[in-house]
Amino acid sequence: MITKREVVFWLSTWVILTLLFSSSLDSIIVSFYFATILMPVAIATSMFFNRFLVPRFLLPGERIKFSIYFFYMLIVSVYLELLVMILAFVILADYQFEGLGKIAGDIYLMTVILYLVVLVEGLILAISRLKEKSLEISDIKAKLETESRQSISIRSNRKQVIVQLKEILFIESLGDYVQIHTSSEDYTTKEKISSFENRLPSSFIRVHRSFIINKYQVSNFNKEEVFFEDRSIPIGRKYKKTSIEFLQHSTL
């Protein structure tokens, strides 16, 4: 799937190449056509190098295979560049080699330009992957921190209260407030249930648009309700499948 970043990069490359070739070709229009013919070669080479060779062979350390494939890619890309130059020679330069100019008529310079594009795209892709990995690591750390948490701090009745997670029976939504029901007492705090849900470990699950339960406090359940010591709450239709599977797995 093509991302917005890739579209922006290749459109920018198209514009830059057009401006670059305009310094040696007759006009900006001719330069635009030449860049248009060259773009499929640049995109195909970059895609093969950055999305196949690097992740498949270079990163796993298979340098011999990487070198072989890179050599073949170099030959094929130079051959395709020659085809582009021939097309430009026939169509754009009207069989006049001087019409290609110093840049478009120099295969070595064209190869350098092509692989500069490939390397820049690879650098951008590497930075993007590093950012994704960094976000994944941050998410993992956050999840581990949540899973290891044994209590949660809330503001109830104008004071900060520490509630032990193991004592929570279920959490009920009251609009812009949530009520935390424990085995000893109930606490009410101003917070939406959706944001409160993100602060809880995996032992808690939402079984209804208005209820989150603690699986360790459930005494029994069926397809319609979840039961605690002396209370019960309904299971919402939207949450029924995941809730039943979660509770069945918890009792194994």
Side-chain angles (χ1 to χ4, degrees):
M1 183 178 179
I2 299 176
T3 63
K4 183 179 179 180
R5 178 196 61 78
E6 291 174 321
V7 172
V8 171
F9 173 79
W10 289 114
L11 286 177
S12 302
T13 301
W14 199 349
V15 172
I16 292 171
L17 290 178
T18 300
L19 295 175
L20 178 65
F21 295 137
S22 66
S23 62
S24 64
L25 295 171
D26 292 339
S27 68
I28 192 73
I29 300 298
V30 175
S31 176
F32 171 78
Y33 288 139
F34 186 79
T36 301
I37 298 171
L38 183 63
M39 280 301 292
V41 179
I43 293 173
T45 304
S46 182
M47 294 284 285
F48 183 78
F49 180 80
N50 291 312
R51 289 168 176 76
F52 178 73
L53 284 189
V54 172
R56 183 75 177 271
F57 299 111
L58 184 61
L59 294 181
E62 298 184 39
R63 292 180 175 82
I64 295 177
K65 288 185 178 180
F66 173 79
S67 301
I68 293 171
Y69 279 109
F70 179 79
F71 178 72
Y72 286 140
M73 182 189 73
L74 183 62
I75 293 174
V76 172
S77 62
V78 171
Y79 175 74
L80 291 174
E81 282 184 314
L82 284 171
L83 287 179
V84 169
M85 292 175 67
I86 292 171
L87 284 173
F89 175 70
V90 173
I91 299 172
L92 302 178
D94 195 23
Y95 296 96
Q96 301 297 317
F97 191 77
E98 295 78 8
L100 291 177
K102 295 180 180 180
I103 300 177
D106 189 334
I107 186 62
Y108 299 107
L109 189 55
M110 287 284 292
T111 302
V112 170
I113 292 172
L114 174 66
Y115 280 91
L116 277 176
V117 172
V118 171
L119 290 175
V120 170
E121 208 268 341
L123 180 62
I124 294 172
L125 190 62
I127 293 172
S128 176
R129 285 172 178 169
L130 283 174
K131 288 182 178 179
E132 289 176 1
K133 289 294 182 183
S134 178
L135 289 174
E136 287 178 7
I137 291 171
S138 297
D139 288 342
I140 291 171
K141 286 182 178 179
K143 288 178 181 178
L144 288 174
E145 183 180 345
T146 301
E147 291 299 322
S148 61
R149 188 180 297 155
Q150 296 183 353
S151 63
I152 194 166
S153 176
I154 62 168
R155 187 163 184 81
S156 180
N157 294 327
R158 298 182 181 180
K159 60 182 179 180
Q160 209 69 22
V161 179
I162 303 297
V163 181
Q164 297 298 315
L165 291 175
K166 64 181 181 180
E167 295 180 358
I168 297 176
L169 301 175
F170 60 91
I171 298 156
E172 180 180 5
S173 172
L174 302 172
D176 290 334
Y177 292 81
V178 292
Q179 190 167 49
I180 302 169
H181 300 270
T182 72
S183 51
S184 56
E185 58 182 305
D186 299 336
Y187 304 95
T188 302
T189 183
K190 189 174 183 180
E191 190 170 354
K192 288 186 177 296
I193 193 170
S194 54
S195 61
F196 198 87
E197 185 178 10
N198 296 328
R199 300 169 59 191
L200 299 169
S202 59
S203 55
F204 288 80
I205 185 173
R206 195 165 181 176
V207 298
H208 189 280
R209 64 188 300 270
S210 300
F211 295 102
I212 298 172
I213 65 167
N214 178 4
K215 71 176 184 179
Y216 294 121
Q217 293 285 358
V218 175
S219 59
N220 204 348
F221 67 93
N222 56 37
K223 292 182 179 180
E224 305 298 330
E225 292 180 285
V226 178
F227 299 92
F228 301 92
E229 292 177 355
D230 56 352
R231 311 184 196 186
S232 66
I233 59 171
I235 298 177
R237 184 179 301 175
K238 177 182 175 182
Y239 303 89
K240 183 170 292 187
K241 183 179 179 181
T242 54
S243 298
I244 297 299
E245 288 177 355
F246 176 82
L247 290 168
Q248 287 176 339
H249 180 74
S250 300
T251 57
L252 294 178

